[in-house]
Amino acid sequence: MKKTFTKTFTQRVRDVVRKIPKGKVLSYKEVAKKAGSPNASQAVGSIMSKNYDKTIPCHRVIRSDGKAGRYNRGGIRVKRGLLISEGYYFK
DNA sequence: TAGTTGACCGGAA
DNA sequence: ATTCCGGCCAACT
């Protein structure tokens, strides 16, 4: 029997993103889905924008159309550089 | 309680 | 390819 969600959506999103392995990326939509709200991709982005925890690889979260999206720790250019250096090929 | 905001998504022009 | 618009959802005020 599954436990009811006690934590906020924010906490679950952070847990999901923290588990993303190196060299892999998830779209905001995928993260939202794993966090329990398939259509809350907008909320996921909003959450990440306020999250400054370096234990969370927020640069591994990209847009579902294959573009990078935004980044609060250096800019989208840095974000793409990080992903490429981790083995992810960008469009 | 209601209104505003925003690292999005997908389709249309 | 780029811009615009409506929809969706959680957090904040």
Side-chain angles (χ1 to χ4, degrees):
Chain A
M1 143 139 188
K2 296 207 51 94
K3 296 161 71 338
T4 40
F5 292 124
T6 55
K7 294 180 177 299
T8 62
F9 185 69
T10 304
Q11 304 291 26
R12 296 198 299 274
V13 167
R14 290 174 62 175
D15 281 343
V16 170
V17 175
R18 199 178 302 134
K19 289 170 186 131
I20 302 177
K22 187 180 102 171
K24 176 158 185 181
V25 299
L26 288 178
S27 67
Y28 293 97
K29 189 163 51 169
E30 291 297 317
V31 174
K33 190 174 176 183
K34 289 175 182 292
S37 298
N39 299 323
S41 55
Q42 178 76 71
V44 172
S46 193
I47 291 161
M48 302 315 282
S49 72
K50 292 169 190 149
N51 174 59
Y52 285 79
D53 191 334
K54 68 173 194 175
T55 67
I56 298 176
C58 42
H59 60 275
R60 309 227 173 103
V61 186
I62 62 171
R63 296 180 29 157
S64 57
D65 58 352
K67 297 183 184 77
R70 299 178 70 172
Y71 193 47
N72 64 13
R73 299 193 66 153
I76 66 175
R77 186 172 93 171
V78 174
K79 179 170 178 178
R80 299 206 320 169
L82 284 169
L83 290 175
I84 290 172
S85 69
E86 289 180 355
Y88 181 78
Y89 180 76
F90 250 97
K91 286 186 178 180

